[in-house]
Every structure is written in C-alpha cells, then in structure tokens.
C-alpha cells in the first residue's frame, strides 16, 4: 500500500550505510528507491525516508520509534544488542511498570528506538513517538486534539493519564496513541526530569499530497502558530517538523528529464506550488 505519511531520518551523508545496518538488525528491510539525496526504505513494512542532509542537523530522542516485538524474547534481546552496539543505552532492557520487557536505546546513527516485548493489534509494528518534554510535558492531550483536528482521516486510539500525586495539572496525559492518515503515532510526557533536547529537523514527517488544495491545508495549519521554512519544510507550534510535498515530486525530479530545473524551482519555494514544479518539468 502506498504510504502518504512517513518519517524522515536525517543522516550525515550515510543513509545507504544506515539502511544496510538496519537490514542486518531488523532483517525485514526493503530498499524502495535511491538517489544522491534520498533513500527510501521499509522496515517491517513501515516506510522511511533517509535524507543525506549532511552534518547540519542530527536526530535526538525527542522523536523515537517504538518496536513492538509480539512476545518474542529472542527478538527483543537481539534488537537490543544490535541497536545499542556503538550507540547508547538510555533505559536498559528489563521489566518496567508498563512492560514485562522494555528498553530505550540510541543507535550509532543517533536514531532512538523504544523496544517493547508487547504485541500491537495492528500491522504497523514500528510506531514513531513524540516526547513532550520540559515546558511541553503537560501538552500531550492538547497535541492529540491539535493533530487529529488537522487530519480528517485521523483517530484517537488510547490514552493514559498522569498518575495521581504528580505536580502535573489534573487531566494531563502520560501517553496517547492516535492515527493520522495511514500512520499510527505515540505521544508521551517527558515527566519531571529536564531533557536537554527538543524536536528538530533531524526527525521530520513527510506528508504526500495529491493536490495544491491539500498542500495549502496542511501548510496553513502548521504554519499558523509555527514557522515556515524552505522546500516544503514547516515547523508546527510544538516544534515538530513536517515536509508537505506533492506525491508526484519524485517523478517530476527523476522521470521528467528536467530534474535540474525542477530542483531549482523547488529550492526557491517555501510552501510548494505544484503548478510551478509541473511547468518546470515541461
């Protein structure tokens, strides 16, 4: 199935090396397409963009990826050992209140993974997670309402409140899960400790749009209290970065024979104007 929303991982010009690493780690990895700037791949059927962006930005734990291991002890132990090698263990693999076996690790490319022994009742076995930390730690419920109001095809799945006795406001959420278009997200409260990171361009989310009207909708909603950037990149009011692009962008660049002209037109835009790109490809 064609995925219309998916994560983008920013690499220091080593997306191909990272994809090879993930193929060794997860085994079920498929390379979908590749050019000098972008490598598209799937892990367990979940689509990712690997962006050879250089050293300007680096992923951090504000966005991580839950891997649900379906009760398979050997699998979670293998993933833990492989992903943490030459990386960093943020929470060691052991029993926690919320899971019989769980770990949080950062791999050698700076991508954060939350490994959970539990199963998920969905074909999507890898779920991006947004961590709302520091002054945003009580905003998980607010963010749930915000994102599901922007995407017509969205659904709240489950939420858990902050335990009683916390200094957080009454009704604040500790965890929520929701679906936007064809991608499920988790969102978590960072709790009391100070976190020395926040959302950044190192992890972003691509939205492929069929029409200019659709591009305009997402762009205006995110930019309203966020910040516009170049080439379809926009930051929402919580700091999460999105790439609002036409679904035909790759075809216009790769298959039109006018990739240089299309790329030049794209680099001059903030919000993408589809008719300008189509004209550049002719």
């Amino acid at each position: 199935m064609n995925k219309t929303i998916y994560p983008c991982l920013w690499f220091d010009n080593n997306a191909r090396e990272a994809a090879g690493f993930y193929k060794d780690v997860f085994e079920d990895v498929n390379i979908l397409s590749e050019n000098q700037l972008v490598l598209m791949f799937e892990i367990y059927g979940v689509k990712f963009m690997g962006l050879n962006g250089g050293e300007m930005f680096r992923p951090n734990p504000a966005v991580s990826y839950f891997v649900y291991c379906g009760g398979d002890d050997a699998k979670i132990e293998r993933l833990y050992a492989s992903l943490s090698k030459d990386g960093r263990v943020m929470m060691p693999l052991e029993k926690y209140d919320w899971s019989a076996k769980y770990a949080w690790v950062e791999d050698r490319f700076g991508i954060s993974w939350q490994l959970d022994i539990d199963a998920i009742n969905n074909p999507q076995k890898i779920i991006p997670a947004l961590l709302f930390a520091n002054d945003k730690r009580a905003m998980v419920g607010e963010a749930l309402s915000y994102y599901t109001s922007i995407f017509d095809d969205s659904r709240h799945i489950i939420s858990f409140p902050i335990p009683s006795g916390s200094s957080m406001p009454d009704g604040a959420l500790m965890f929520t899960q929701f679906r936007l278009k064809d991608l499920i997200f988790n969102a978590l409260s960072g709790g009391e400790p100070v976190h020395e990171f926040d959302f950044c361009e190192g992890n972003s989310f691509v939205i492929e749009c069929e029409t200019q009207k659709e591009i305009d909708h997402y762009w205006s909603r995110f930019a309203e209290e966020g910040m516009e950037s170049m080439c379809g990149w926009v930051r929402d009011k919580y700091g999460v970065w999105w790439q609002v692009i036409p679904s035909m962008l790759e075809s216009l660049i790769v298959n039109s024979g006018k990739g240089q002209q299309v790329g030049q037109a794209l680099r001059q835009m903030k919000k993408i104007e589809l008719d300008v790109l189509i004209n550049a490809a002719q």
Side-chain angles (χ1 to χ4, degrees):
M1 184 178 68
N2 184 41
K3 307 297 192 300
T4 57
I5 178 170
Y6 47 88
C8 173
L9 310 177
W10 188 291
F11 292 105
D12 186 5
N13 296 313
N14 54 2
R16 162 55 72 171
E17 179 187 348
F21 170 72
Y22 296 137
K23 191 165 187 175
D24 290 340
V25 171
F26 294 101
E27 298 176 345
D28 184 5
V29 174
N30 295 309
I31 305 299
L32 303 176
S33 64
E34 182 178 7
N35 58 53
Q36 187 174 359
L37 182 62
V38 167
L39 186 145
M40 306 296 300
F41 61 100
E42 289 181 337
I43 305 176
Y44 300 158
V46 177
K47 185 175 179 179
F48 289 84
M49 174 190 286
L51 179 64
N52 285 312
E55 60 183 13
M56 185 180 301
F57 302 111
R58 181 174 171 83
N60 68 53
V63 176
S64 59
Y65 300 90
F66 268 80
V67 183
Y68 291 94
C69 295
D72 189 333
D73 279 294
K75 179 178 180 179
I76 195 170
E77 290 173 7
R78 177 177 57 81
L79 292 179
Y80 178 70
S82 299
L83 290 168
S84 61
K85 183 179 181 181
D86 299 322
R88 178 166 68 110
V89 174
M90 299 175 65
M91 297 180 70
L93 183 63
E94 57 186 57
K95 184 180 187 302
Y96 294 89
D97 290 343
W98 59 88
S99 177
K101 211 166 198 177
Y102 165 92
W104 191 334
V105 299
E106 184 179 277
D107 70 30
R108 61 189 177 96
F109 297 97
I111 310 300
S112 293
W113 305 88
Q114 298 195 54
L115 310 176
D116 198 320
I117 191 66
D118 291 341
I120 181 172
N121 186 27
N122 192 281
Q124 184 184 326
K125 306 304 181 187
I126 298 180
I127 295 183
L130 309 176
L131 183 67
F132 290 80
N134 304 329
D135 60 342
K136 302 174 188 174
R137 63 193 178 95
M139 296 182 179
V140 172
E142 177 189 316
L144 167 66
S145 299
Y146 173 72
Y147 291 125
T148 54
S149 73
I150 291 173
F151 293 82
D152 288 339
D153 186 9
S154 64
R155 181 169 66 90
H156 170 226
I157 298 172
I158 193 170
S159 293
F160 295 102
I162 295 289
S164 59
S166 167
S167 62
M168 303 268 277
D170 291 343
L173 296 182
M174 178 176 65
F175 174 91
T176 190
Q177 188 175 89
F178 53 93
R179 180 176 57 79
L180 305 178
K181 296 170 77 74
D182 46 28
L183 188 67
I184 297 174
F185 288 79
N186 291 340
L188 308 89
S189 169
E192 297 289 350
V194 173
H195 294 77
E196 296 181 357
F197 54 79
D198 201 352
F199 301 119
C200 76
E201 294 93 331
N203 283 281
S204 60
F205 296 94
V206 180
I207 307 171
E208 292 190 359
C209 302
E210 296 298 322
T211 65
Q212 186 65 50
K213 181 179 179 181
E214 193 178 359
I215 292 171
D216 293 346
H217 166 73
Y218 292 117
W219 187 269
S220 63
R221 290 298 305 274
F222 289 136
E224 184 178 9
E225 297 178 74
M227 186 185 76
E228 299 180 353
S229 190
M230 302 302 295
C231 304
W233 287 67
V234 60
R235 187 181 68 192
D236 71 27
K237 66 178 184 177
Y238 300 108
V240 179
W241 283 90
W242 302 83
Q243 298 181 55
V244 184
I245 66 171
S247 58
M248 65 172 68
L249 181 60
E250 183 178 10
S251 178
L252 289 174
I253 293 174
V254 176
N255 301 328
S256 68
K258 298 286 187 69
Q260 185 173 354
Q261 292 91 322
V262 174
Q264 184 177 2
L266 178 63
R267 288 189 292 273
Q268 295 174 358
M269 298 177 182
K270 288 187 175 181
K271 183 183 73 174
I272 292 179
E273 300 294 340
L274 184 53
D275 59 343
V276 175
L277 295 185
I278 292 173
N279 288 337
Q282 294 175 351

